[in-house]
Amino acid sequence: MNKKKRLLMRTSILLLLLVAIGYTMYTNFFQSKEIVDVGDEAPNFVLTDLEGNEVMLSDYRGKGVFLNFWGTWCKPCEREMPYMENQYQAFQEQGVEVIAVNIRETNLAVEKFRDRHGLTFPIPMDKRDQVRQAYGILPLPTTILLDENGKIVKKHSGDLTEEEVKEFMEMIKPK
């Protein structure tokens, strides 16, 4: 009788663990992670850039914002950075800003990357991964386009060609 109780208890625990693992896998792989979507107002954030300046998203109202989430280790991110810089130079005078939010890296690694690629746009540091999580960003790179009112007009995951970066900046250029 004692062996039957132990077997029943072990079977129950194993079944409970399998259900928990199944539920976890389902929620991680099959449910949408999107927290913000096209048409939503972009959540405000305040981060510090490499120079120690605060970057507050709401300060960019009135401008189109090319909000990019990236990492130095990310090869697609590295490929699109020169395109972003080229188009930033072309569109900055037309009211378009690039904010390239770096995810969980050291200032030194990002400074080296910035200097190697000659980047001039703001690079706020999301050291605690709070902004990426608030936006539900997976994978990197992900770009979110904001109009001059702070509304999300497009989301794009994956790297971009220079033509796509130019097209996206045209989309968010204030009228």
Side-chain angles (χ1 to χ4, degrees), residues 133-151:
Q133 288 182 25
Y135 278 77
I137 300 298
L138 280 176
L140 296 182
T142 292
T143 300
I144 297 179
L145 305 178
L146 309 176
D147 68 12
E148 65 267 20
N149 300 310
K151 297 274 188 229

PDB file of all heavy atoms in Angstrom, residues 133-151:
ATOM      1  N   GLN A 133      11.935  45.916 -22.750  1.00  0.00           N
ATOM      2  CA  GLN A 133      10.820  45.134 -22.220  1.00  0.00           C
ATOM      3  C   GLN A 133       9.515  45.913 -22.292  1.00  0.00           C
ATOM      4  O   GLN A 133       8.468  45.342 -22.602  1.00  0.00           O
ATOM      5  CB  GLN A 133      11.113  44.700 -20.784  1.00  0.00           C
ATOM      6  CG  GLN A 133      12.160  43.620 -20.716  1.00  0.00           C
ATOM      7  CD  GLN A 133      12.415  43.155 -19.285  1.00  0.00           C
ATOM      8  OE1 GLN A 133      11.569  43.265 -18.419  1.00  0.00           O
ATOM      9  NE2 GLN A 133      13.601  42.623 -19.049  1.00  0.00           N
ATOM     10  N   ALA A 134       9.564  47.211 -22.018  1.00  0.00           N
ATOM     11  CA  ALA A 134       8.351  48.038 -22.071  1.00  0.00           C
ATOM     12  C   ALA A 134       7.758  48.064 -23.482  1.00  0.00           C
ATOM     13  O   ALA A 134       6.542  48.161 -23.650  1.00  0.00           O
ATOM     14  CB  ALA A 134       8.656  49.457 -21.606  1.00  0.00           C
ATOM     15  N   TYR A 135       8.632  47.969 -24.481  1.00  0.00           N
ATOM     16  CA  TYR A 135       8.183  47.958 -25.872  1.00  0.00           C
ATOM     17  C   TYR A 135       7.944  46.541 -26.393  1.00  0.00           C
ATOM     18  O   TYR A 135       7.445  46.372 -27.490  1.00  0.00           O
ATOM     19  CB  TYR A 135       9.203  48.676 -26.764  1.00  0.00           C
ATOM     20  CG  TYR A 135       9.051  50.177 -26.761  1.00  0.00           C
ATOM     21  CD1 TYR A 135       9.495  50.945 -25.693  1.00  0.00           C
ATOM     22  CD2 TYR A 135       8.472  50.830 -27.834  1.00  0.00           C
ATOM     23  CE1 TYR A 135       9.364  52.309 -25.691  1.00  0.00           C
ATOM     24  CE2 TYR A 135       8.332  52.206 -27.847  1.00  0.00           C
ATOM     25  CZ  TYR A 135       8.776  52.944 -26.774  1.00  0.00           C
ATOM     26  OH  TYR A 135       8.632  54.300 -26.775  1.00  0.00           O
ATOM     27  N   GLY A 136       8.335  45.522 -25.635  1.00  0.00           N
ATOM     28  CA  GLY A 136       8.158  44.136 -26.066  1.00  0.00           C
ATOM     29  C   GLY A 136       9.014  43.786 -27.273  1.00  0.00           C
ATOM     30  O   GLY A 136       8.573  43.077 -28.165  1.00  0.00           O
ATOM     31  N   ILE A 137      10.247  44.267 -27.287  1.00  0.00           N
ATOM     32  CA  ILE A 137      11.123  44.101 -28.448  1.00  0.00           C
ATOM     33  C   ILE A 137      11.829  42.753 -28.429  1.00  0.00           C
ATOM     34  O   ILE A 137      12.529  42.413 -27.491  1.00  0.00           O
ATOM     35  CB  ILE A 137      12.190  45.226 -28.493  1.00  0.00           C
ATOM     36  CG1 ILE A 137      11.539  46.596 -28.584  1.00  0.00           C
ATOM     37  CG2 ILE A 137      13.181  44.998 -29.627  1.00  0.00           C
ATOM     38  CD1 ILE A 137      10.701  46.836 -29.807  1.00  0.00           C
ATOM     39  N   LEU A 138      11.624  41.979 -29.475  1.00  0.00           N
ATOM     40  CA  LEU A 138      12.354  40.757 -29.813  1.00  0.00           C
ATOM     41  C   LEU A 138      12.216  40.619 -31.308  1.00  0.00           C
ATOM     42  O   LEU A 138      11.122  40.790 -31.807  1.00  0.00           O
ATOM     43  CB  LEU A 138      11.765  39.523 -29.130  1.00  0.00           C
ATOM     44  CG  LEU A 138      12.141  39.288 -27.684  1.00  0.00           C
ATOM     45  CD1 LEU A 138      11.379  38.075 -27.142  1.00  0.00           C
ATOM     46  CD2 LEU A 138      13.628  39.067 -27.498  1.00  0.00           C
ATOM     47  N   PRO A 139      13.139  40.303 -32.050  1.00  0.00           N
ATOM     48  CA  PRO A 139      14.578  40.206 -31.811  1.00  0.00           C
ATOM     49  C   PRO A 139      15.242  41.559 -32.071  1.00  0.00           C
ATOM     50  O   PRO A 139      14.556  42.546 -32.334  1.00  0.00           O
ATOM     51  CB  PRO A 139      15.006  39.197 -32.881  1.00  0.00           C
ATOM     52  CG  PRO A 139      14.098  39.529 -34.041  1.00  0.00           C
ATOM     53  CD  PRO A 139      12.769  39.913 -33.407  1.00  0.00           C
ATOM     54  N   LEU A 140      16.568  41.566 -32.041  1.00  0.00           N
ATOM     55  CA  LEU A 140      17.338  42.742 -32.437  1.00  0.00           C
ATOM     56  C   LEU A 140      17.877  42.493 -33.837  1.00  0.00           C
ATOM     57  O   LEU A 140      18.203  41.361 -34.166  1.00  0.00           O
ATOM     58  CB  LEU A 140      18.504  42.971 -31.471  1.00  0.00           C
ATOM     59  CG  LEU A 140      18.145  43.306 -30.033  1.00  0.00           C
ATOM     60  CD1 LEU A 140      19.424  43.556 -29.237  1.00  0.00           C
ATOM     61  CD2 LEU A 140      17.211  44.483 -29.913  1.00  0.00           C
ATOM     62  N   PRO A 141      17.975  43.512 -34.649  1.00  0.00           N
ATOM     63  CA  PRO A 141      17.481  44.866 -34.448  1.00  0.00           C
ATOM     64  C   PRO A 141      15.974  44.943 -34.690  1.00  0.00           C
ATOM     65  O   PRO A 141      15.429  44.191 -35.483  1.00  0.00           O
ATOM     66  CB  PRO A 141      18.231  45.669 -35.510  1.00  0.00           C
ATOM     67  CG  PRO A 141      18.448  44.715 -36.630  1.00  0.00           C
ATOM     68  CD  PRO A 141      18.645  43.372 -35.966  1.00  0.00           C
ATOM     69  N   THR A 142      15.358  45.874 -34.001  1.00  0.00           N
ATOM     70  CA  THR A 142      13.966  46.229 -34.250  1.00  0.00           C
ATOM     71  C   THR A 142      13.895  47.738 -34.318  1.00  0.00           C
ATOM     72  O   THR A 142      14.495  48.427 -33.496  1.00  0.00           O
ATOM     73  CB  THR A 142      13.029  45.687 -33.155  1.00  0.00           C
ATOM     74  OG1 THR A 142      13.001  44.256 -33.237  1.00  0.00           O
ATOM     75  CG2 THR A 142      11.616  46.212 -33.317  1.00  0.00           C
ATOM     76  N   THR A 143      13.164  48.224 -35.304  1.00  0.00           N
ATOM     77  CA  THR A 143      12.988  49.661 -35.497  1.00  0.00           C
ATOM     78  C   THR A 143      11.512  49.990 -35.372  1.00  0.00           C
ATOM     79  O   THR A 143      10.665  49.296 -35.928  1.00  0.00           O
ATOM     80  CB  THR A 143      13.511  50.089 -36.884  1.00  0.00           C
ATOM     81  OG1 THR A 143      14.902  49.771 -36.954  1.00  0.00           O
ATOM     82  CG2 THR A 143      13.321  51.572 -37.122  1.00  0.00           C
ATOM     83  N   ILE A 144      11.240  51.055 -34.637  1.00  0.00           N
ATOM     84  CA  ILE A 144       9.878  51.559 -34.488  1.00  0.00           C
ATOM     85  C   ILE A 144       9.871  52.987 -35.000  1.00  0.00           C
ATOM     86  O   ILE A 144      10.707  53.804 -34.588  1.00  0.00           O
ATOM     87  CB  ILE A 144       9.421  51.495 -33.011  1.00  0.00           C
ATOM     88  CG1 ILE A 144       9.401  50.039 -32.551  1.00  0.00           C
ATOM     89  CG2 ILE A 144       8.064  52.155 -32.840  1.00  0.00           C
ATOM     90  CD1 ILE A 144       8.993  49.831 -31.113  1.00  0.00           C
ATOM     91  N   LEU A 145       8.955  53.279 -35.914  1.00  0.00           N
ATOM     92  CA  LEU A 145       8.844  54.620 -36.483  1.00  0.00           C
ATOM     93  C   LEU A 145       7.731  55.382 -35.787  1.00  0.00           C
ATOM     94  O   LEU A 145       6.610  54.877 -35.674  1.00  0.00           O
ATOM     95  CB  LEU A 145       8.548  54.535 -37.981  1.00  0.00           C
ATOM     96  CG  LEU A 145       9.525  53.718 -38.816  1.00  0.00           C
ATOM     97  CD1 LEU A 145       9.075  53.693 -40.269  1.00  0.00           C
ATOM     98  CD2 LEU A 145      10.932  54.253 -38.694  1.00  0.00           C
ATOM     99  N   LEU A 146       8.061  56.590 -35.337  1.00  0.00           N
ATOM    100  CA  LEU A 146       7.093  57.436 -34.644  1.00  0.00           C
ATOM    101  C   LEU A 146       6.850  58.699 -35.442  1.00  0.00           C
ATOM    102  O   LEU A 146       7.803  59.324 -35.937  1.00  0.00           O
ATOM    103  CB  LEU A 146       7.623  57.830 -33.256  1.00  0.00           C
ATOM    104  CG  LEU A 146       8.129  56.703 -32.355  1.00  0.00           C
ATOM    105  CD1 LEU A 146       8.699  57.274 -31.070  1.00  0.00           C
ATOM    106  CD2 LEU A 146       7.022  55.719 -32.059  1.00  0.00           C
ATOM    107  N   ASP A 147       5.589  59.110 -35.538  1.00  0.00           N
ATOM    108  CA  ASP A 147       5.293  60.372 -36.201  1.00  0.00           C
ATOM    109  C   ASP A 147       5.546  61.538 -35.245  1.00  0.00           C
ATOM    110  O   ASP A 147       5.954  61.326 -34.088  1.00  0.00           O
ATOM    111  CB  ASP A 147       3.867  60.385 -36.760  1.00  0.00           C
ATOM    112  CG  ASP A 147       2.767  60.397 -35.699  1.00  0.00           C
ATOM    113  OD1 ASP A 147       3.059  60.623 -34.490  1.00  0.00           O
ATOM    114  OD2 ASP A 147       1.604  60.175 -36.071  1.00  0.00           O
ATOM    115  N   GLU A 148       5.308  62.745 -35.712  1.00  0.00           N
ATOM    116  CA  GLU A 148       5.617  63.925 -34.899  1.00  0.00           C
ATOM    117  C   GLU A 148       4.763  64.036 -33.635  1.00  0.00           C
ATOM    118  O   GLU A 148       5.075  64.800 -32.731  1.00  0.00           O
ATOM    119  CB  GLU A 148       5.513  65.213 -35.742  1.00  0.00           C
ATOM    120  CG  GLU A 148       4.130  65.521 -36.249  1.00  0.00           C
ATOM    121  CD  GLU A 148       3.846  64.972 -37.653  1.00  0.00           C
ATOM    122  OE1 GLU A 148       4.547  64.040 -38.105  1.00  0.00           O
ATOM    123  OE2 GLU A 148       2.902  65.465 -38.288  1.00  0.00           O
ATOM    124  N   ASN A 149       3.681  63.244 -33.550  1.00  0.00           N
ATOM    125  CA  ASN A 149       2.825  63.245 -32.366  1.00  0.00           C
ATOM    126  C   ASN A 149       3.155  62.108 -31.397  1.00  0.00           C
ATOM    127  O   ASN A 149       2.456  61.906 -30.413  1.00  0.00           O
ATOM    128  CB  ASN A 149       1.353  63.156 -32.788  1.00  0.00           C
ATOM    129  CG  ASN A 149       0.959  64.324 -33.652  1.00  0.00           C
ATOM    130  OD1 ASN A 149       1.214  65.476 -33.312  1.00  0.00           O
ATOM    131  ND2 ASN A 149       0.366  64.032 -34.797  1.00  0.00           N
ATOM    132  N   GLY A 150       4.206  61.339 -31.692  1.00  0.00           N
ATOM    133  CA  GLY A 150       4.602  60.235 -30.822  1.00  0.00           C
ATOM    134  C   GLY A 150       3.818  58.962 -31.038  1.00  0.00           C
ATOM    135  O   GLY A 150       3.890  58.042 -30.225  1.00  0.00           O
ATOM    136  N   LYS A 151       3.076  58.878 -32.143  1.00  0.00           N
ATOM    137  CA  LYS A 151       2.309  57.664 -32.466  1.00  0.00           C
ATOM    138  C   LYS A 151       3.166  56.717 -33.293  1.00  0.00           C
ATOM    139  O   LYS A 151       3.921  57.139 -34.157  1.00  0.00           O
ATOM    140  CB  LYS A 151       1.053  58.019 -33.278  1.00  0.00           C
ATOM    141  CG  LYS A 151       0.072  58.884 -32.541  1.00  0.00           C
ATOM    142  CD  LYS A 151      -0.850  58.062 -31.707  1.00  0.00           C
ATOM    143  CE  LYS A 151      -1.942  58.945 -31.132  1.00  0.00           C
ATOM    144  NZ  LYS A 151      -2.135  58.763 -29.738  1.00  0.00           N
TER     145      LYS A 151
END
